[in-house]
């Protein structure tokens, strides 16, 4: 297998320089397995701060970017700006971007294509909400129809987060389907380079069991 295990930490809209500085100090003292990539998703205003303070053994990701290089798009940031801060990853299509801010699969695909074209690694999130699943509208989002240059797909079963429901029984089925789709629609060679991560209430108590399942190449973690 040509891919490393991947662990992403999405900090969301949390932290300040003091608290993030303390977290970074703790992380810098940690030992990281050479077969694992660890990437931290920082609020955009702190990208430069985090990248300058965090040890190079950790990657840093923006939590969003726009589909064009520059222009009259107040409040947005571009892949070029992200790279100018020394950051090489971006999280796109997160459930909160879809369901709180109304981002469509089409827009997320455009963002993904532009980010990849400009050399960013993309953590692309796909998943379904509880009402979609129980109403039998259980689509797993849409995988980006773009060249998989440096792509992590994070399966995000939103219906399992904070509901007391577990995604474990169907995790293997979904990841097997995703891998099969990639082999058919991308290529078997490139498919082998794409990490399929789980992003559904992963905790310290469940991570080992989940990681042992077939086609689970890592996690995108929020609250834990």
């Amino acid at each position: 297998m040509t891919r490393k295990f991947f662990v992403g930490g999405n900090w969301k809209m949390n932290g300040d320089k003091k608290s993030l500085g303390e977290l970074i100090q703790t992380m810098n003292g940690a030992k990281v397995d050479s077969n694992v990539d660890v990437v931290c998703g920082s609020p955009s205003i702190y990208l430069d701060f985090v990248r300058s303070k965090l040890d190079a053994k950790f990657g840093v990701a923006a939590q969003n970017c726009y589909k064009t290089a520059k222009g009259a798009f107040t409040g947005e940031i571009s892949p070029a700006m992200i790279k100018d801060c020394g950051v090489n990853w971006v999280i796109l299509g997160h459930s909160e971007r879809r369901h709180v801010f109304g981002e469509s699969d089409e827009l997320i695909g455009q963002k993904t294509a532009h980010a990849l074209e400009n050399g960013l690694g993309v953590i692309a999130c796909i998943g379904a909400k509880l009402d979609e699943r129980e109403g039998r509208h259980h689509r797993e989002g849409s995988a980006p129809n773009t060249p998989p240059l440096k792509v992590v797909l994070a399966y995000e079963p939103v219906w399992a987060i904070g509901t007391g429901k577990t995604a474990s029984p169907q995790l293997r089925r979904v990841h097997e389907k995703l891998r099969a789709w990639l082999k058919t629609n991308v290529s078997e060679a490139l498919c082998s380079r794409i990490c399929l991560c789980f992003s559904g209430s992963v905790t310290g108590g469940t991570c080992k069991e989940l990681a042992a399942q077939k086609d689970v190449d890592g996690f995108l973690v929020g609250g834990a």
Side-chain angles (χ1 to χ4, degrees), residues 19-179:
S19 62
L20 293 181
E22 292 169 353
L23 175 60
I24 288 168
Q25 187 175 13
T26 299
M27 291 184 66
N28 286 346
K31 182 179 179 181
V32 178
D33 190 297
S34 60
N35 294 313
V36 178
D37 285 328
V38 179
V39 176
C40 299
S42 167
S44 60
I45 198 169
Y46 295 126
L47 285 172
D48 207 4
F49 171 79
V50 172
R51 183 63 286 172
S52 66
K53 301 293 185 182
L54 194 62
D55 194 281
K57 63 190 175 188
F58 300 107
V60 178
Q63 296 177 13
N64 188 33
C65 72
Y66 200 50
K67 63 180 181 179
T68 59
K70 58 183 178 180
F73 304 105
T74 301
E76 293 288 345
I77 60 173
S78 69
M81 293 173 175
I82 293 168
K83 290 181 67 178
D84 197 37
C85 292
V87 173
N88 295 314
W89 287 92
V90 63
I91 301 170
L92 292 173
H94 191 278
S95 62
E96 290 157 5
R97 298 302 311 177
R98 294 175 186 267
H99 305 144
V100 177
F101 299 101
E103 293 189 0
S104 65
D105 286 343
E106 180 182 12
L107 175 59
I108 293 162
Q110 292 169 344
K111 289 181 174 186
T112 300
H114 183 62
L116 290 172
E117 287 166 1
N118 284 272
L120 284 182
V122 174
I123 305 167
C125 302
I126 54 177
K129 293 189 294 184
L130 179 61
D131 57 353
E132 292 170 339
R133 176 177 182 264
E134 296 191 339
R136 298 188 183 277
H137 301 298
H138 186 46
R139 61 179 180 83
E140 302 305 338
S142 62
N145 186 23
T146 51
L149 305 178
K150 191 176 179 184
V151 177
V152 170
L153 289 183
Y155 169 51
E156 196 178 16
V158 186
W159 53 267
I161 299 174
T163 64
K165 298 176 183 288
T166 175
S168 297
Q170 76 169 66
L171 177 58
R172 178 178 295 181
R173 176 181 63 82
V174 172
H175 277 224
E176 284 179 350
K177 285 189 174 183
L178 281 172
R179 187 71 69 192

Side-chain angles (χ1 to χ4, degrees), residues 180-195:
W181 185 93
L182 290 167
K183 287 180 179 178
T184 301
N185 293 275
V186 183
S187 76
E188 188 160 354
L190 290 174
C191 171
S192 68
R193 294 165 46 193
I194 299 175
C195 286

